Amino acid sequence: MNCNPTDPVDGVDRRSVLAAGAAGLSLSLSGCVDTVQRVVDQDGTDQLSLSIVTVPADADRESIRIAYHLESHLEAIGVDVTLKVRSRTDFLKTVLIDHDFDIYVGQHPADYDPDFLYEALHSTYANEAGWQNPFGFDSMAFDTLLEDQRRADGEQRKQRLANVLRGVADEKPFDPICRPDEIRVANTTRFDGWDQGHLATRRGYLGLEPDAGVERLNALVTDARPSVNVNPISATVRERGTVVDLLYDSLGTVVDGEVLPWLAESWEWVTDAETDEKKTEEIAEPTRNTTTARVSLREDCRFHDGEPVTAADVEFTYQFFQDTVLGHATPSPPPRYRGHASAIDDIEIEDEYTLRITAAAGTDVCERAFTAPILPKHVWQSELEDRLGNSQEFSAPQGSWSLVTSDSIDPTGSGPYQFKNNSEREHLTLERFDDHFTLREDAAGDHLLAPRVEELRFIVDPGSPSSISRVASGNADLTSSMLAAYSLSDIPEDNPDVERLESPSWTFYHLGFNTRAPPCSNLHFRRAICRLIDKEWIASEVFGGHADPLVAPVTEEWTPDDLAWDGADPETPFAGTDGTLNVNAARNAFQAAGYYTDDENRLQGRY
């Protein structure tokens, strides 16, 4: 095992440099520096060498155990493996921004709707930095499948999505491994209403009823990044959007898988006849389906700085999510919300609180676009103008320029809570925004839960076991972070003050492949790698039975019968049993992919 917890020299492992130097060879550093390497011996043979990138055990014990599982099986078949362990932030930078990896092991946040696969896999984003297509996957045929599912609704969309999922299972740009149980614990002595919403979203923190005299909810997080940076469009400071959900309103909010009006008071779908009448001079493309919604905003909503929320802010947000420089330089899309914004074809402002939004998609995908956070135009426009300076010399490296990474952006939104203060790596404190629309007497709708407690404090506690202990002892109210599987046995069963909270989960663990360069650009190589993973064993042993093995990266309601888990992956079954690799069977899979084993049992290849 080669474990490399720090950055390699110039992006190339020292061992490979020395080996190449001893053979009198020169190493080209062009292209992706972490792609395939070869260890060159004195006899001139080439051993295949791969890197696996993941996070350390104190960040995610399950991820690194999966990485160890893969590493040991790769070494067993004769691959030279380097395991690169990175902090959460550096891991995301390596994978999402720099694309400096062969294979990575991590957790994907996914989304309530499977259209997250559009931004994850469409070739439009293959060379962009961010959560959009970190795999560099590029297939025009697959693009068509992704586009087709976007344009449909209901049962037709399910059928089209099934083709997308079969394509993922066949092509393996990434391989879903398992979906973990999403479990938290709460202390019931100070708050009621823990079961009202998903605690990965704003709803989990709204509607909670504090006891008399309770002014603050203390929620424990195992990740320190929210205490450092709450920039809503940064790719590396978070996987999920709980804090962003609380600071920023969106047009709609997700309730039990359905999008209901939130900042928007309502929306109605406009018929084709109405749309044609509105745009009589436009000629529709015959193969391009669009959906138009007439959106009415709640009137007299305010941002946290007192400025009104208007249709202009909504229009600005979706334009900004397509290009953060707004045409002042080479387009620089943000590393988040790319899929949400790409669904929007056109926005027409009718008045201060009314917009006509046209989407190049069906109503399902259009409503998903409505879940993006609405930004204050006056704040972000000013931040952009401050950075423009001399526009002739201005540049904004996509995904990594200061506007999308800075921790100094004013976190002003219109959400139910506003920023109060923070102490880096200790806490982030939000206070109730008393002008939020959900606190109005005329706020109508059972889903319009209001902020009842004056403050939310997210306190950093890096370990799930210690977090459970603190909640059980009454020193905290909630474990806001999803608990690690290994810690779940620590939840006390005989403490009447501790409530175990189980939420539906759409996040999943997976292997990600860098398909931009060999060997992971080779479909057959990727499929052979996937046969080294025993998903059933991982769910049972690594997660202690608190996870479900997967073939498809979506929830059960979207998974076609032929991709439902039935004891093995139907496309790439594990080459072994009970976590133990059948080395000969695994080598045969790589031989079928064009690789061979030399006399010293080292995997060789020509590509």
Side-chain angles (χ1 to χ4, degrees):
M1 177 182 74
N2 299 299
C3 187
N4 180 2
T6 59
D7 290 332
V9 179
D10 294 329
V12 179
D13 299 305
R14 183 182 300 274
R15 168 178 36 79
S16 298
V17 174
L18 294 176
L25 301 177
S26 62
L27 269 177
S28 170
L29 300 185
S30 62
C32 181
V33 296
D34 241 359
T35 55
V36 63
Q37 302 160 18
R38 293 173 177 173
V39 176
V40 185
D41 296 310
Q42 295 296 332
D43 61 2
T45 58
D46 295 354
Q47 182 181 11
L48 184 67
S49 180
L50 287 171
S51 66
I52 304 172
V53 185
T54 193
V55 295
D58 60 1
D60 188 337
R61 185 178 297 189
E62 287 76 25
S63 278
I64 200 165
R65 287 191 65 189
I66 295 170
Y68 286 148
H69 174 76
L70 176 60
E71 177 192 41
S72 66
H73 290 171
L74 283 167
E75 290 181 335
I77 64 169
V79 177
D80 182 73
V81 185
T82 298
L83 181 60
K84 299 186 175 185
V85 180
R86 301 286 186 260
S87 71
R88 282 170 164 148
T89 297
D90 287 345
F91 168 76
L92 292 180
K93 182 177 183 297
T94 296
V95 172
L96 303 180
I97 307 301
D98 299 334
H99 301 153
D100 191 11
F101 67 97
D102 292 331
I103 301 170
Y104 74 83
V105 177
Q107 196 170 1
H108 198 290
D111 203 355
Y112 79 96
D113 185 279
D115 190 58
F116 77 87
L117 291 168
Y118 183 90
E119 65 249 35
L121 293 170
H122 199 283
S123 65
T124 297
Y125 314 126
N127 294 314
E128 289 188 11
W131 284 95
Q132 56 267 36
N133 202 347
F135 322 105
F137 186 61
D138 187 351
S139 167
M140 292 182 65
F142 198 82
D143 289 349
T144 299
L145 297 179
L146 291 167
E147 293 158 6
D148 284 347
Q149 66 83 26
R150 275 200 144 186
R151 290 191 287 262
D153 287 309
E155 192 60 35
Q156 185 185 54
R157 184 170 180 232
K158 278 191 175 183
Q159 294 172 3
R160 293 183 181 184
L161 182 69
N163 292 330
V164 171
L165 298 173
R166 293 182 186 110
V168 172
D170 180 62
E171 294 279 351
K172 300 291 187 186
F174 66 91
D175 191 25
I177 297 171
C178 63
R179 174 168 290 109
D181 295 344
E182 193 152 335
I183 297 173
R184 298 170 177 82
V185 293
N187 190 297
T188 60
T189 58
R190 302 194 331 139
F191 290 89
D192 291 324
W194 290 112
D195 59 348
Q196 293 195 79
H198 199 304
L199 285 157
T201 71
R202 65 168 68 94
R203 287 184 58 79
Y205 302 85
L206 304 180
L208 292 172
E209 294 292 345
D211 285 355
V214 175
E215 298 181 350
R216 176 191 292 166
L217 184 150
N218 295 309
L220 303 179
V221 292
T222 56
D223 184 356
R225 290 175 295 170
S227 70
V228 178
N229 191 337
V230 291
N231 187 325
I233 55 176
S234 171
T236 61
V237 299
R238 63 182 172 88
E239 283 80 20
R240 305 178 84 169
T242 308
V243 171
V244 171
D245 256 8
L246 294 165
L247 289 172
Y248 298 86
D249 285 322
S250 47
L251 295 177
T253 194
V254 181
V255 181
D256 298 330
E258 181 183 3
V259 181
L260 299 178
W262 184 252
L263 182 60
E265 187 168 37
S266 65
W267 55 75
E268 58 180 356
W269 303 110
V270 179
T271 65
D272 290 340
E274 292 175 278
T275 303
D276 291 343
E277 182 180 349
K278 192 76 176 177
K279 299 183 177 182
T280 55
E281 295 183 0
E282 294 186 8
I283 300 175
E285 298 177 35
T287 60
R288 185 175 181 81
N289 296 349
T290 60
T291 300
T292 301
R294 190 170 185 269
V295 179
S296 299
L297 301 181
R298 297 182 191 277
E299 296 188 10
D300 299 323
C301 289
R302 300 276 169 180
F303 289 107
H304 301 152
D305 60 4
E307 291 294 315
V309 181
T310 70
D313 297 293
V314 177
E315 180 186 46
F316 169 85
T317 295
Y318 287 102
Q319 290 174 345
F320 185 75
F321 285 163
Q322 292 176 356
D323 178 13
T324 58
V325 297
L326 299 176
H328 290 286
T330 300
S332 185
R336 284 189 183 274
Y337 305 113
R338 196 73 164 96
H340 296 72
S342 69
I344 303 301
D345 218 27
D346 181 62
I347 296 180
E348 178 186 347
I349 295 177
E350 294 189 355
D351 60 42
E352 191 174 13
Y353 299 111
T354 310
L355 310 95
R356 188 179 289 254
I357 299 178
T358 300
T363 58
D364 287 353
V365 173
C366 186
E367 287 182 340
R368 179 178 181 252
F370 291 171
T371 64
I374 300 303
L375 306 180
K377 178 179 179 179
H378 64 282
V379 171
W380 288 83
Q381 182 83 55
S382 176
E383 292 282 354
L384 173 60
E385 290 172 355
D386 287 346
R387 287 164 171 78
L388 284 175
N390 185 342
S391 59
Q392 292 182 341
E393 300 178 2
F394 174 79
S395 66
Q398 191 272 320
S400 60
W401 77 291
S402 63
L403 194 59
V404 304
T405 61
S406 175
D407 60 3
S408 63
I409 304 290
D410 181 2
T412 293
S414 64
Y417 283 90
Q418 59 187 334
F419 178 84
K420 182 178 182 180
N421 57 50
N422 70 307
S423 179
E424 289 192 6
R425 306 192 182 283
E426 292 183 4
H427 74 85
L428 167 69
T429 302
L430 309 181
E431 63 182 352
R432 182 173 60 205
F433 181 45
D434 290 330
D435 286 337
H436 196 257
F437 65 84
T438 56
L439 293 168
R440 299 174 184 172
E441 291 184 2
D442 61 350
D446 293 339
H447 69 287
L448 297 182
L449 303 179
R452 299 300 180 192
V453 64
E454 291 184 18
E455 286 187 3
L456 300 179
R457 173 163 285 188
F458 294 94
I459 303 168
V460 179
D461 184 324
S464 287
S466 59
S467 294
I468 294 171
S469 177
R470 289 175 68 174
V471 170
S473 65
N475 291 323
D477 299 302
L478 169 73
T479 58
S480 179
S481 298
M482 185 175 72
L483 293 171
Y486 74 88
S487 70
L488 297 179
S489 60
D490 294 338
I491 298 175
E493 298 181 359
D494 56 354
N495 188 334
D497 297 333
V498 175
E499 183 174 353
R500 180 185 176 115
L501 306 171
E502 299 191 26
S503 305
S505 181
W506 48 79
T507 183
F508 59 89
Y509 283 80
H510 66 298
L511 294 185
F513 296 102
N514 191 341
T515 69
R516 298 172 182 85
C520 294
S521 56
N522 183 328
L523 162 64
H524 304 291
F525 181 84
R526 297 195 300 269
R527 289 174 64 88
I529 290 285
C530 293
R531 296 203 59 192
L532 304 181
I533 295 290
D534 190 343
K535 299 179 180 182
E536 190 86 50
W537 180 87
I538 288 171
S540 174
E541 299 301 320
V542 174
F543 289 84
H546 296 291
D548 297 316
L550 295 176
V551 181
V554 294
T555 53
E556 186 176 348
E557 65 181 297
W558 294 100
T559 302
D561 291 343
D562 57 310
L563 294 182
W565 186 261
D566 191 22
D569 190 311
E571 289 289 333
T572 51
F574 175 57
T577 55
D578 297 328
T580 300
L581 185 70
N582 181 325
V583 174
N584 287 333
R587 284 177 175 159
N588 287 340
F590 281 89
Q591 183 176 352
Y595 296 81
Y596 69 95
T597 303
D598 68 11
D599 293 340
E600 297 182 23
N601 290 325
R602 297 171 302 186
L603 195 66
Q604 310 285 331
R606 296 287 186 270
Y607 35 82

